[in-house]
């Protein structure tokens, strides 16, 4: 399967990167976070909506190719495709087809997660790389970026808390 990638080397993108440590080993953090239920961790952080549900997932979210449609609690949605997956190490996806204000700012976004050894735990690094529409880069790099970073920090914090708690639960 060939995946048409949104972002190439010549694109002038706006990356926003955050990181957080987890007590879990990289393989465990990856195993729990990669397929996480989006509505569990993506809550509204004004001015951005939370994820209400996910529709139309075409297949298992564990290899390049599957697609799905996150549904936001403001009634908007996006198209998402998993583009890369290195088991236990990293995964990447792209979001396009936004039906909210992002449709007027960016052609799409590339998300990338890396799970790096950090002592007995993991340093989780998450990047959202925006591909701005012509003339909109200054908005994304300027007033938009700190608001989006705050949204990402809240979501990553919930993911780490959820995954560490899930790792402690007995397997049924």
């Amino acid at each position: 399967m060939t995946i048409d990638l949104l972002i190439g080397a010549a694109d002038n993108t706006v990356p926003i990167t955050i990181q957080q440590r987890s007590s879990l080993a990289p393989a465990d953090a990856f195993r729990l976070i990669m397929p996480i239920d989006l509505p569990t961790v993506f809550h509204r952080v004004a001015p951005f909506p939370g994820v209400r549900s996910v529709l139309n997932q075409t297949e298992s979210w564990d290899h390049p190719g599957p697609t799905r449609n996150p549904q936001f609690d403001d009634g908007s949605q996006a198209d998402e495709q998993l583009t890369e997956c290195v088991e236990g190490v990293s995964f990447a996806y792209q979001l396009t087809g936004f039906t909210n204000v992002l449709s007027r700012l960016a052609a799409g976004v590339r998300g990338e997660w890396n799970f790096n050894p950090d002592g007995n735990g993991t340093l989780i690094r998450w990047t959202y790389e925006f591909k701005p529409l012509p003339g909109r880069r200054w908005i994304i790099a300027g007033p938009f970026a700190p608001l989006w970073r705050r949204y990402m920090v809240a979501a990553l914090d919930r993911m780490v808390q959820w995954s560490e708690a899930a790792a402690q639960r007995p397997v049924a």
Side-chain angles (χ1 to χ4, degrees):
M1 163 187 256
T2 301
I3 297 173
D4 291 325
L5 296 179
L6 170 72
I7 294 175
D11 290 317
N12 188 13
T13 63
V14 178
I16 301 171
T17 301
I18 64 167
Q19 63 186 31
Q20 186 171 331
R21 286 177 166 78
S22 169
S23 62
L24 300 176
D28 294 330
F30 176 94
R31 176 180 53 80
L32 291 164
I33 289 175
M34 186 185 173
I36 204 162
D37 178 56
L38 300 182
T40 300
V41 294
F42 285 98
H43 301 171
R44 178 176 173 72
V45 177
F48 304 110
V51 175
R52 181 184 69 231
S53 64
V54 175
L55 300 178
N56 308 317
Q57 188 161 324
T58 57
E59 52 191 296
S60 174
W61 201 254
D62 60 3
H63 62 281
T67 60
R68 61 187 182 186
N69 300 105
Q71 306 293 301
F72 303 105
D73 59 19
D74 66 354
S76 65
Q77 71 170 17
D79 302 322
E80 183 177 22
Q81 182 176 29
L82 191 60
T83 58
E84 298 173 28
C85 181
V86 178
E87 182 68 33
V89 177
S90 66
F91 67 94
Y93 52 92
Q94 57 192 24
L95 292 151
T96 57
F98 290 100
T99 62
N100 57 20
V101 70
L102 280 176
S103 70
R104 296 188 292 280
L105 296 175
V109 175
R110 179 183 193 275
E112 180 180 326
W113 289 77
N114 293 279
F115 299 83
N116 302 301
D118 184 54
N120 291 329
T122 302
L123 178 63
I124 301 168
R125 186 168 292 125
W126 179 22
T127 298
Y128 237 60
E129 186 178 9
F130 291 85
K131 182 177 180 176
L133 291 171
R136 309 297 195 314
R137 187 179 195 288
W138 71 271
I139 297 170
I140 294 173
F144 181 89
L147 296 172
W148 191 259
R149 181 180 316 278
R150 189 177 66 172
Y151 184 77
M152 290 174 69
V153 166
L156 180 55
D157 186 57
R158 280 190 290 277
M159 284 183 222
V160 168
Q161 288 180 28
W162 181 90
S163 62
E164 289 177 349
Q168 299 302 314
R169 290 191 282 275
V171 177

